[in-house]
Amino acid sequence: MTIDKSQQDHVLIFDTTLRDGEQSPGATMTHNEKLEIASLLDEMGVDVIEAGFPIASEGDFRAVTEIAQRSKNSVICGLSRAQYGDIDRCWEAVKHAARPRIHTFIGTSPLHRAIPNLTKDEMAERIHDTVSHARNLCDNVQWSPMDATRTEHDYLCRVVEIAIKAGATTINIPDTVGYTAPRESADLIRMLIEKVPGADEIIFATHCHNDLGMATANALAAVEAGARQIECTINGLGERAGNTALEEVVMALKVRNDIMPFRTGIDTKKLMHISRRVATVSGFPVQYNKAIVGKNAFAHESGIHQDGMLKNAETFEIMRPEDIGLSETNLVMGKHSGRAALRAKLAELGFELADNQLKDVFVRFKALADRKKEVYEDDLVALMRDSGSDQAHDRLQVKFLRVICGTEAPQSADLTLSIDGVDKQITAQGDGPVDATFNAVKALFPHTARLQLYQVHAVTEGTDAQATVSVRMEEDGKIVHGEAADTDTVVASAKAYVNALNRLLVRREKSKPGDDVKTVSYKDVS
């Protein structure tokens, strides 16, 4: 990427949802889901998309390759360790992009130097050789000293200088464990710019984790000190407590442009749609009070707040809902609504459907409308989540379910499950209707996956509200997530459980010998 010093007020947005975000346990996305999210990021104006870790698995390599081939605007970046084989594999994937980037890294703090058992000099030599190798393949090279914020300052300056001389065009300074504070974040960037020869010819980036809840503050402090690239993820997904949330930094720079005179190329009206879509495909619902994109971000319950909002919305809102893609009005849909109204409403919510997709969703919508008096926006989003997976290709499908429950035991479930196109039926008992249903599924499709999480929450208010059920399951270190919505909580539970099993089958297929991501060490740059 050419360094244009006339663009000093422009902050590059580097999105790593498809790499670091997917490393959240249970957030693994399918191939098609990755392609969809990459397309949305590209359309939204993200400067750089870190599409994955090509050496990790054959599936990741294919995803990065296809994203690179399809990208129209964004730089497409792949991650690689400081090893020639990693770098070569990364280049094979990203070279198809109109604007490719290789991102290579190594841990430089005392704790991380001890892992490969390298001396400072040996590590410095490896940094020089691997960055040089990457630059010989690609003219856009990013280098990261993992755990930079816990690396000795003199050594950090030394290796950053080496990377720059070897050809790195972007230097990323990661706060890998979310340990630093805003003042430290700014001081570190400022020190590197002042002390390292050649620092004025490259772009400094920041990648902050949120372990202490300061990721966004640390990223913005780094920008004020001279960093011009922020690495972030949609909804703040990522290892442990997650990363800097893209929505937060973009809107902070927009709303507080008076004290942070920087700009991005992000189309903020697409923020809500991509936030909801990532929540759907990753299986990580957005917390209600999440900044910018949470369900309650524009909700007001206090009488004082409501009175102020009626008189002037600016009294309690520093941004408009429309700025992030929310509609001003809440058009209520019902059983008398037609296809055109549904298509328009879904488009308003950010879902563009082909005719065949609309036909399928319309049938689901009518069935829901027959059971509910009113269908709200959140109901429609839940409906799209429930139809988000390609159920026609799922190996397991719930065909029929009837449960018997009440004060007298035993509770039982009569279940018909389609397994690879063959219907199988069984009646099972359990400690309540949900337990009986899960026992029935397990009896028809034996497995060793352990249920880690079962969560139910109502999408809207009222006794006829849809219930969204989330389950998380683990088998041999593989974590999968399933989600489904229905006005019947037990039906939603069965569908979510089966959805998780379908994802587990996909993970099993991905984990054939030689393709297991767990064979890759040093996999996190953040």
Side-chain angles (χ1 to χ4, degrees), residues 351-478:
F351 297 100
E352 299 291 343
L353 301 184
D355 290 341
N356 288 339
Q357 291 174 305
L358 180 65
K359 182 179 179 181
D360 175 65
V361 173
F362 186 70
V363 172
R364 295 168 180 267
F365 163 71
K366 281 292 190 180
L368 177 62
D370 281 338
R371 289 177 285 168
K372 285 179 59 67
K373 294 179 180 178
E374 296 176 328
V375 180
Y376 297 95
E377 289 185 354
D378 286 336
D379 287 312
L380 293 176
V381 173
L383 193 70
M384 293 303 298
R385 287 182 180 177
D386 195 35
S387 61
S389 63
D390 190 358
Q391 296 181 350
H393 296 91
D394 285 345
R395 291 181 58 190
L396 309 178
Q397 296 182 41
V398 176
K399 301 301 287 288
F400 174 84
L401 175 63
R402 178 171 54 203
V403 298
I404 298 176
C405 59
T407 57
E408 294 185 6
Q411 287 80 32
S412 64
D414 184 10
L415 174 71
T416 300
L417 199 63
S418 175
I419 304 175
D420 293 327
V422 179
D423 289 353
K424 297 184 178 182
Q425 186 276 336
I426 199 171
T427 298
Q429 297 180 347
D431 185 14
V434 174
D435 187 53
T437 300
F438 287 3
N439 288 341
V441 173
K442 193 168 184 179
L444 291 176
F445 187 77
H447 58 83
T448 59
R450 183 174 63 89
L451 184 65
Q452 288 189 329
L453 173 72
Y454 171 76
Q455 190 173 56
V456 182
H457 49 92
V459 174
T460 51
E461 298 177 354
T463 56
D464 62 350
Q466 281 195 102
T468 294
V469 176
S470 301
V471 301
R472 185 181 302 152
M473 302 174 73
E474 181 270 333
E475 181 187 66
D476 298 330
K478 303 180 189 72

Side-chain angles (χ1 to χ4, degrees), residues 17 29 37 234-235 237 274-283:
T17 303
M29 303 177 197
I37 297 304
I234 299 297
N235 299 336
L237 277 179
I274 194 168
S275 168
R276 286 171 167 172
R277 194 66 191 118
V278 168
T280 299
V281 302
S282 69

Side-chain angles (χ1 to χ4, degrees), residues 234-263:
I234 299 297
N235 299 336
L237 277 179
E239 293 274 12
R240 304 181 313 281
N243 294 283
T244 304
L246 180 149
E247 304 87 358
E248 294 175 9
V249 295
V250 168
M251 292 307 296
L253 291 175
K254 181 175 182 177
V255 172
R256 293 312 311 269
N257 193 255
D258 54 336
I259 61 171
M260 293 182 288
F262 308 107
R263 58 189 175 86

